[in-house]
Amino acid sequence: MPDIAARAYRFAQRVVPDAVAGYVLPGHVRQFRQTGVTAVGDAGRRLLIAPVNSAGQGYAWARASERLSDVAAASAMFRGGDDVFGFTADHLIPATALIGNDRWRRAQRRGILRGFTHVLIESGRHLFEIDGDPIALVRELQAAGIRVAFVWHGSDIRLPSAHAAREADSPFHGDAYPGTSVLEEIAASHARLAENAGIPVFVSTPDLLSYAPGATWLPVVVDPRRWAEAASRPVLTGDGPLRVVHAPSRASLKGSRAIADTMRRLHDEGIVEYTELHGIPAERMPEVVGSADVVLDQFLAGAYGVAVCEALAAGRLVVSHVADDTREAVRRLSGRTLPVVQSRASELEGVLREVAAERARFAATAAEGPAFVRVVHDGTMSAEALRPFLDS
């Protein structure tokens, strides 16, 4: 009987129209009830940030915006079964609901149109349709009296051809990165989308200001206290090997292969104790980073993001390639100097040997990190960046 029932259910899935399935098929009904629609607290300005929540930033910006008077905010994200990081969001939406539950899509549309006054659309993604037209979405929201803006996180707007023209070590030279043509198409499409939409644009990292004319920097947000409290040992003490970690989440874009031989050689010599971090859940990262002396970020992009801010907040020494114009943008917009030790991949061995030999000097640089994060990346600057948009 169970097999017969299963076959009957699969048959019903094929023949019942999508518009009806959410009301009659048990799995769809259960999914609809469990998923729910995105809701927000009562306030004069009600902000939705969705649907990507890259590195948990949608949620972090939502909390930052609530520091402003009369603002309530919610973050929503589509989550697939392969999500290993587990970032927090106010509303986690299973990708299967987006793909296969028409009843949920209609309810989510109504909930957004009726429940929010402001919407920040992440990465040009539609909020309740699989392949929906983002321009049509913007116009529908505007027609409902909702103020709309885009926010870009990185590769969604960073044009590879322009990056290659700026950066000698760009991964987008020639055929070095196999996905270059795809990223070029995506970024160019998003640039056209932003131009045609005619709405405010935010970017999460200062290097992206070069790729989104007229955009506002919306600094990424980390919890300084959480990362500082997780630091389990003083940085750069003793005379043993430097504890060095690197999280090659996108190895071909971070330059992980370019530094592999250097790190292996230094590890074998006993200069460093080197660990690559793979698949670490977000909640475990503070303790892992907090046990290191040095955190290596990336050596190709010339940018910095969430991972750097987390390591700085933990008081670790961060070594990475951050372009001069990005550092200058940080100084101009925040009044602070980014305390990241500069190094390209070709310079890394010399830099790490210098760190090992002059630990006290570099420990002083690491000590600047927590204060920098408290000023630039604790949510205060982010709330101020959002204020004009929310005040409209």
Side-chain angles (χ1 to χ4, degrees):
M1 284 297 293
D3 187 54
I4 294 173
R7 289 202 300 269
Y9 181 66
R10 287 194 294 270
F11 175 76
Q13 283 184 300
R14 291 196 300 271
V15 300
V16 173
D18 289 343
V20 178
Y23 297 90
V24 300
L25 294 181
H28 284 66
V29 173
R30 183 169 57 253
Q31 181 185 65
F32 176 81
R33 290 173 177 169
Q34 291 176 346
T35 302
V37 299
T38 307
V40 71
D42 186 24
R45 295 173 292 176
R46 300 177 301 281
L47 170 66
L48 171 64
I49 306 175
V52 176
N53 195 36
S54 177
Q57 287 307 298
Y59 180 82
W61 289 326
R63 301 291 76 78
S65 72
E66 291 177 327
R67 301 182 184 191
L68 303 175
S69 175
D70 200 25
V71 173
S75 67
M77 68 175 291
F78 299 126
R79 172 168 286 176
D82 58 347
D83 180 11
V84 299
F85 296 109
F87 292 112
T88 300
D90 293 302
H91 188 197
L92 297 173
I93 304 163
T96 51
L98 171 69
I99 295 168
N101 201 316
D102 189 60
R103 182 186 179 191
W104 177 83
R105 290 194 294 268
R106 293 198 304 274
Q108 180 74 347
R109 174 181 177 272
R110 290 192 301 270
I112 292 172
L113 292 175
R114 296 172 183 176
F116 292 90
T117 61
H118 294 74
V119 172
L120 200 56
I121 299 174
E122 296 179 283
S123 301
R125 295 275 301 279
H126 204 284
L127 303 177
F128 46 80
E129 296 290 346
I130 307 167
D131 297 313
D133 178 1
I135 285 288
L137 171 65
V138 169
R139 301 301 177 234
E140 182 177 21
L141 294 170
Q142 290 176 323
I146 297 171
R147 176 82 164 159
V148 192
F150 287 132
V151 60
W152 308 110
H153 288 280
S155 294
D156 49 11
I157 197 66
R158 186 184 292 112
L159 195 67
S161 57
H163 188 271
R166 292 188 176 101
E167 279 290 340
D169 295 332
S170 172
F172 306 123
H173 287 294
D175 299 324
Y177 180 68
T180 297
S181 61
V182 174
L183 290 180
E184 182 84 11
E185 183 179 348
I186 290 172
S189 173
H190 286 160
R192 292 191 297 270
L193 170 63
E195 183 177 4
N196 293 335
I199 60 177
V201 173
F202 295 91
V203 293
S204 64
T205 58
D207 64 294
L208 297 179
L209 294 169
S210 300
Y211 303 92
T216 297
W217 180 29
L218 179 59
V220 299
V221 177
V222 302
D223 181 349
R225 179 178 297 178
R226 177 184 178 222
W227 288 86
E229 290 178 350
S232 59
R233 57 189 292 273
V235 69
L236 295 170
T237 56
D239 56 3
L242 301 174
R243 296 187 185 183
V244 182
V245 299
H246 173 57
S249 54
R250 301 182 72 179
S252 52
L253 295 180
K254 284 206 166 194
S256 302
R257 285 192 293 271
I259 66 172
D261 289 343
T262 293
M263 297 313 301
R264 188 179 302 110
R265 182 166 55 253
L266 292 175
H267 182 93
D268 291 344
E269 285 186 33
I271 303 297
V272 306
E273 179 184 301
Y274 179 59
T275 304
E276 287 193 355
L277 307 176
H278 297 275
I280 307 292
E283 66 270 14
R284 284 200 54 226
M285 284 300 289
E287 65 179 90
V288 174
V289 170
S291 67
D293 291 305
V294 180
V295 175
L296 308 180
D297 186 50
Q298 57 74 37
F299 299 89
L300 304 179
Y304 84 100
V306 175
V308 165
C309 296
E310 292 169 341
L312 291 176
R316 306 302 96 177
L317 184 71
V318 179
V319 178
S320 185
H321 166 47
V322 183
D324 289 343
D325 57 354
T326 298
R327 292 176 183 270
E328 177 54 35
V330 173
R331 280 192 292 268
R332 175 170 50 84
L333 296 171
S334 73
R336 294 286 177 144
T337 298
L338 177 67
V340 171
V341 175
Q342 170 61 24
S343 177
R344 294 183 180 271
S346 60
E347 302 164 333
L348 183 58
E349 180 171 353
V351 169
L352 289 179
R353 289 185 183 278
E354 187 177 359
V355 172
E358 301 183 49
R359 300 186 185 211
R361 177 164 70 90
F362 285 97
T365 299
E368 298 173 13
F372 174 84
V373 172
R374 286 194 298 269
V375 171
V376 183
H377 294 289
D378 76 338
T380 303
M381 274 190 64
S382 306
E384 290 305 314
L386 287 169
R387 185 188 292 276
F389 170 65
L390 292 169
D391 282 349
S392 299

